[in-house]
Amino acid sequence: MEASKKPKKFQGIKISQRPLTEKIEPLLYLSPALLLLGIFLFWPFFQTIIRSLHITDNLGRNALFVGLENYIELFKSSSFHNSLIVTILFVFIVVIVGVLLGFFTALLCQRTFPGIRLFSAAYALPIAIATSGIALVFQVMLNQSIGIVNQILGTDINWLADPTYALLSIGILTGWLNSGLNFLYFSAGLSSIDESLYESASIDGANWWNKIRHITIPSLKPITFFVVVTNIINAFQGFAQIRILTGGGPGESTNVIVYDIYRNAFMNYRYGYASAESIVLFVIVVILTIIIFKVNKGGRINV
């Protein structure tokens, strides 16, 4: 028992705390990234909040402090209400098209056949295509007179000038652009599923649909959740294709919130009002993301 006791020379000695340099060292490694985030993200964000409380001149300088008047005017605006509805519809179309295209193309490329690498490259190709460039291509494809879409379908629709089809056309284009990255995510998820699960299901007599429903989809739930969230955020930021193809028209049928911000700021020179609109958009995206995380966590919204 005496041997188990600590020697006297070690008694009363306190274990030294980590030196201050070791605590500061991790922050030094993070400082370049924090500096860039501060300059290009946090500082502009705070400036946007401040500008949203002012009326600005044509150069964007704060001219008169008006408090929450920009926000009050915004929520009373019928144009903003229309933009909100259009944005929700646009996001819905983009997410549905992008996620389904990415999922089914990933399923197709799980089979081994000649030319599989060529098909995989083709399905992932939208990642490498500039939005503005493909928008110009679609402008020709959707042309009422010479467009290949009308020739294939045997229709005579002005896809970009008809309020019924303009938002749908741009939504499908944006969904296809997102599908390339979705294809890579789903392909990675499918490759991680144990093949023995499918073999056991085949022995039990499960068909293709039962395997998809009871094995593939549950196994891909985390990746699907991530893909849906990223697609929703990207859809809220859609701008270039709308600017090139429709300019928010016809009427205001494709005037999503991001384009409305651009129009108010750089066409109407109402920078304070546009800043208020951008803050509202930010809050909407944050709230929607939190709700999705809550729903995914427990199958219900936990407050």
Side-chain angles (χ1 to χ4, degrees), residues 18 20-32 34:
R18 285 196 309 165
L20 183 62
T21 55
E22 291 187 11
K23 296 180 180 180
I24 297 177
E25 186 177 5
L27 295 176
L28 294 177
Y29 289 116
L30 291 173
S31 58
L34 294 175

Side-chain angles (χ1 to χ4, degrees), residues 91 95 227-237 285 288-289 292:
V91 170
V95 172
V227 168
V228 169
V229 171
T230 54
N231 276 246
I232 288 175
I233 295 174
N234 290 336
F236 271 103
Q237 298 173 350
V285 173
L288 185 59
T289 304
I292 294 173

Side-chain angles (χ1 to χ4, degrees), residues 136-158:
L136 294 174
V137 174
F138 266 72
Q139 192 173 39
V140 177
M141 293 176 61
L142 296 173
N143 186 276
Q144 185 175 10
S145 303
I146 62 173
I148 191 173
V149 175
N150 276 335
Q151 294 181 20
I152 292 175
L153 299 178
T155 56
D156 186 30
I157 300 173
N158 196 340

